[in-house]
Amino acid sequence: MFSSSVLLLGVVSISFLAIYKLIIYPAFLSPLAKVPNAHWSSPIAPIWILWTRYNDLENRVLHAAHLKHGTVVRLAPNELSINDLAGLRTVYAGGFEKGEWYSIFDNYGVPCMFSSWHSRTHSARKRMISNIYSKSNIHNSPALAAQAQAILYDRLLPKLTSASGPQSHPNGVDVHDIWNATTMDFITAYIFGLKNASNFLAEEVYRKHWFGLYHARKVYTFFPQELPHLTVFFKKLHLHLVPTWVNDANRELEVWTQERCHSTSAYIKNGLAAKDNDPANVPVVFQAMLAGIEKEERMKGAESVLKNETLQYPELSIASEMIDHIAAGHETSGITLTYLSWELSKNIPLQDALRAELLSLSPNMSLSGSGSSKSIPSSKDLNILPLLHAILMETLRLHAAIPGNQPRMTPYPSCTLGPYTDIPGGVRIGSHAHVLHRNSEVYLDPDKFDHVRWLDDQNGYTEEQRRERDRWFWAFSSGGRMCVGSNFAMHEIKLTVAAVYANFRTHIVDDEGIEQTDGYTCGPTSNKLFLRFEKVVD
Ligand code: HEM
Ligand SMILES: *[C@@H]1O[C@H](CO)[C@@H](O)[C@H](O)[C@H]1NC(C)=O
Ligand SMILES: *[C@@H]1O[C@H](CO)[C@@H](O)[C@H](O)[C@H]1NC(C)=O
Ligand SMILES: *[C@@H]1O[C@H](CO)[C@@H](O)[C@H](O)[C@H]1NC(C)=O
Ligand SMILES: *[C@@H]1O[C@H](CO)[C@@H](O)[C@H](O)[C@H]1NC(C)=O
């Protein structure tokens, strides 16, 4: 009698505790309870947001949720989404740290700048390389200019010239593949120097193999990113939520990168670099990282926050950094070029206006003009062309290559987000370029491609409207973890567009499936875009 009532009491109190902890507290008493819920189940379980992500619907579903519920929305018991300027300031400019979500971007089992969780290790890594990606360095680098000249004049333009000739293929050219190859050649050249870079524009068979391997790594990110503990648990039971061949694909990309690192390292250490007079062969990024590690070792040594990682495994850490720049650098810029050339192909008068602007460069890149001597225009002149800039900005707004969630963690012990106080530490929180770029008060008719938004002598905007337009633009993120390659990307894309559109008109042959996928980094659903190139004779 006695024991059964104790048992009953125990069961009742445990159930009450469980109900309190799992339902009452998170749904009604937690400081997060005041935040509007994206879904009725959000305060008690993350199932709804996991399901939304699993089905690749996050960006559009959260766009709708923010329209309905405002700028701060609760997605799960321990997760918020925030999509306004105050939120960007608090979270991104405020230095909220990254979390485990980014660990899949570790390579060779060691972190890179992008995958670092904490600000201190991140800053120590960033110090080594941010300078060579600064705008003034990108615009004045003799290495990058020489590399651009070789890639554009010796590889890309001859290829497009033959694709525009009488023997050209009736289906046109898959430009998504070509732009991928162009941006790979660009970023690997800046990292390793031209001699140890990829030559994907020439090596069609190998590049398709390589992009295929990279694709594999992209498709299976859901489980390790969203359910890391479950993924590890299943792995221990020999149940693979990520097929084992994905690991093999990753391994092959890692080995490919290491071979280039080894060659580049030998080239520097054997003194060959010092004797090489060709600026195109300078391995700018690799060299900066090597020097950065030596400096960290010399100045901080055992005191360094990187002592247990980068300084202990310098070779793997350099390779981890390089493969990350290759990954971050080629796909995003390739996607941007694809959407830019698609938008231009839908609007021939705009192309012609752009061409007139490009030919006004001196030297221009027309093969029948100064381009015949393979001239690269000055970075300064290229950068201030208003129409080229407007078209690129509008492409980055409407088709941001990373439209998806960039999760951060709230700091301990607590923080304030707009009207919500006492938000505890360790809550996942993120914003989306997809949502920010569709604010119809800032970008009127946001689904329309309208480059005039960025042409200040034509749009009639007030000073305040311009400022708002620029503040909400988030294609490269913001704060300390914003894209380190943004100046590189803007420059390589402008150079490529200047070379291509000075010489060709493009027309759509097949754009089926051009809609962007929904996720983190997003290209066309069909993974292709076929355009026809028409040589322009001026
Ligand atoms: C149009 C092209 C590009 C776009 C739209 C883009 C966008 C972004 C965004 C949104 C982030 C922040 C991601 C996050 O925190 O989750 C980022 C970070 C980064 N990007 Fe880019 N990117 C582009 C090109 C490049 C290029 C060419 C490089 C070459 C080095 C690069 C290297 C990086 C790196 C290393 C980071 C991590 C920075 C850090 O953690 O400090 N990106 N990029
Ligand atoms: C372009 O590059 C991305 C990233 O490597 C890859 O996933 C995609 O399959 C490539 N697409 C084409 C058509 O080359
Ligand atoms: C790097 O360049 C050197 C010098 O041209 C060459 O001997 C070596 O094979 C290259 N290595 C790779 C992996 O491209
Ligand atoms: C490095 O590792 C040692 C031993 O594991 C640990 O005591 C030390 O705190 C670590 N240092 C840093 C900077 O992480
Ligand atoms: C392109 O540059 C060349 C040489 O600088 C010049 O002769 C030509 O007229 C320019 N093309 C146009 C259309 O301005």
Side-chain angles (χ1 to χ4, degrees), residues 16-323:
F16 181 76
L17 267 175
I19 291 171
Y20 176 82
K21 192 156 165 21
L22 299 177
I23 299 176
I24 298 181
Y25 182 79
F28 302 106
L29 303 175
S30 150
L32 297 184
K34 300 193 191 85
V35 179
N37 296 316
H39 186 255
W40 64 264
S41 67
S42 296
I44 41 182
I47 292 171
W48 172 79
I49 189 64
L50 286 173
W51 184 245
T52 304
R53 286 189 176 124
Y54 183 75
N55 288 299
D56 297 333
L57 295 169
E58 170 169 355
N59 300 344
R60 63 194 104 154
V61 164
L62 291 195
H63 181 217
H66 280 285
L67 282 177
K68 192 161 165 206
H69 301 292
T71 55
V72 189
V73 172
R74 190 179 192 185
L75 306 180
N78 212 29
E79 183 175 358
L80 301 172
S81 167
I82 196 158
N83 274 294
D84 68 341
L85 296 183
L88 293 187
R89 255 194 310 274
T90 309
V91 176
Y92 294 90
F96 284 22
E97 297 192 313
K98 288 188 175 179
E100 190 170 17
W101 195 84
Y102 285 92
S103 291
I104 65 155
F105 299 104
D106 288 356
N107 310 294
Y108 312 94
V110 298
C112 55
M113 173 171 68
F114 179 59
S115 71
S116 309
W117 289 25
H118 300 297
S119 308
R120 281 169 41 141
T121 46
H122 172 261
S123 309
R125 288 199 178 90
K126 188 169 172 177
R127 261 199 303 278
M128 301 179 184
I129 46 148
S130 57
N131 188 41
I132 46 120
Y133 284 115
S134 70
K135 193 166 180 172
S136 68
N137 255 291
I138 294 297
H139 284 185
N140 297 311
S141 164
L144 183 51
Q147 291 155 2
Q149 191 178 37
I151 293 165
L152 297 173
Y153 285 112
D154 300 343
R155 299 181 191 174
L156 181 63
L157 289 176
K159 196 174 177 69
L160 298 181
T161 301
S162 68
S164 68
Q167 307 292 322
S168 67
H169 201 277
N171 294 340
V173 179
D174 179 0
V175 292
H176 192 43
D177 173 38
I178 299 295
W179 305 143
N180 264 349
T182 308
T183 57
M184 258 304 277
D185 287 359
F186 258 103
I187 188 64
T188 54
Y190 197 53
I191 292 174
F192 300 118
L194 202 60
K195 62 176 182 3
N196 283 130
S198 61
N199 187 354
F200 279 8
L201 277 165
E203 294 165 3
E204 179 174 349
V205 173
Y206 187 72
R207 84 165 174 257
K208 292 199 160 147
H209 171 71
W210 197 100
F211 290 141
L213 295 175
Y214 189 89
H215 216 65
R217 140 191 184 132
K218 252 189 82 162
V219 175
Y220 291 96
T221 52
F222 175 80
F223 287 108
Q225 277 190 313
E226 302 298 335
L227 296 163
H229 303 292
L230 188 76
T231 309
V232 171
F233 175 74
F234 271 57
K235 207 168 158 184
K236 284 193 181 129
L237 303 176
H238 299 284
L239 294 167
H240 295 280
L241 294 174
V242 179
T244 47
W245 59 262
V246 174
N247 279 332
D248 299 339
N250 259 323
R251 262 321 285 153
E252 191 175 332
L253 294 174
E254 288 184 344
V255 169
W256 185 88
T257 306
Q258 267 172 317
E259 279 167 12
R260 271 147 190 81
C261 289
H262 286 148
S263 292
T264 308
S265 174
Y267 167 80
I268 295 169
K269 287 177 181 153
N270 297 345
L272 291 173
K275 284 188 228 132
D276 196 331
N277 290 323
D278 186 352
N281 282 337
V282 178
V284 177
V285 185
F286 189 92
Q287 228 166 18
M289 178 95 188
L290 202 61
I293 290 179
E294 277 165 16
K295 186 171 172 203
E296 183 79 11
E297 186 75 74
R298 200 170 60 240
M299 309 285 283
K300 305 246 171 67
E303 303 294 298
S304 169
V305 289
L306 300 178
K307 179 174 93 60
N308 288 354
E309 326 166 345
T310 313
L311 298 190
Q312 193 170 349
Y313 314 103
E315 279 177 19
L316 287 183
S317 298
I318 295 177
S320 177
E321 196 63 43
M322 299 307 114
I323 198 173

Side-chain angles (χ1 to χ4, degrees), residues 362-401:
S362 175
N364 58 47
M365 297 178 86
S366 156
L367 292 173
S368 53
S370 40
S372 57
S373 57
K374 304 187 178 179
S375 305
I376 293 288
S378 96
S379 302
K380 190 163 149 276
D381 293 349
L382 183 70
N383 194 41
I384 57 171
L385 292 179
L387 194 54
L388 176 60
H389 188 70
I391 290 168
L392 175 51
M393 290 300 282
E394 183 63 352
T395 304
L396 289 164
R397 181 194 70 83
L398 187 58
H399 307 287

